[in-house]
Amino acid sequence: MAYKTFLTVLTDDRLAGTTLTHATALAEACDAHLDVLCFGVDRSQTGYYYAGASAMIVQETISRATEEAEALAEFARTQLDGRDGRWGVESGVAQLADITRHVAARARFSDLVVVPRPYGDERGAELEPVVEGALFEGQTPVMVVPDTGTPVPTPKRIVLAWNESAEALNAVRASLPLLQSADIVHVVVIDPPTRGPNRSDPGGMLSQYLSRHGVTAQIDVLSKTMPRVSDVLVRHLRDVDADMMVMGAYGHSRFREAILGGATRNMLENCPVPVFMAH
């Protein structure tokens, strides 16, 4: 399978440039169409305003969100104008509580969604729902890109976090086009189980699967010598000078809203390279 449609979602002008640069580089490398969805976020909560103020404040908030969306769309068109690749830009206003649904509706018909890191200083509250909407409701793989660094549209060294879960296997299958173009894929197994059919050959079945798809894979068995698994993975990324991370995305439902699990969140907070995730 080849990637033919990329989607990126822009909500913050401070992060738009880096995110769009990564998404454009990926789309051009894959000869794919890039859809850019620019949202102005309506954060109004009418139930908390004093009597008589709601309509006025809501209208002001919607007007501000509309201006933000149009500014983001104009920025995207300016950045993409003149490029050889195929692209389209749309803008709109979404309420904070409803942005997940809007993102999921578009992500469903995309092969990969490129978004900025949802955690960090001065991050908008809408960034996490954007990631969750694509992953959990849209059931589409996501590439979370860092704030800095040069895009590597065809990564040559990839670290793949493997724990035999369904989420990790879905991430492997979804990332196959990228894995196949890499020089080496480091399959990382941390503290493999001492019991079970794969205890004597951790990652062996996955390595065989990947090799049949033309992927050059190496099994790296590591010990959890740091407090969190994400810390071990980040250290290994630096040790092998990796260009990208592939992992399963974990989450649970809370009040009908998908919440990224602890391991996924920790990885997104600290990873210095793009993170490819699938659920």
Side-chain angles (χ1 to χ4, degrees), residues 8-13 15-17 19-20 36-41 69 72-73 75-76 114 116 126-127 130:
T8 190
V9 182
L10 307 181
T11 61
D12 190 330
D13 57 358
L15 305 173
T19 306
L20 192 57
V36 183
L37 191 55
C38 303
F39 275 132
V41 182
L72 284 168
F75 170 79
V114 182
E126 78 280 356
L127 294 178
V130 167

Side-chain angles (χ1 to χ4, degrees), residues 42 44-46 49 53-63:
D42 173 13
S44 62
Q45 300 183 49
T46 56
Y49 299 128
S54 295
M56 177 184 66
I57 295 178
V58 168
Q59 183 57 50
E60 180 181 344
T61 304
I62 292 175
S63 297

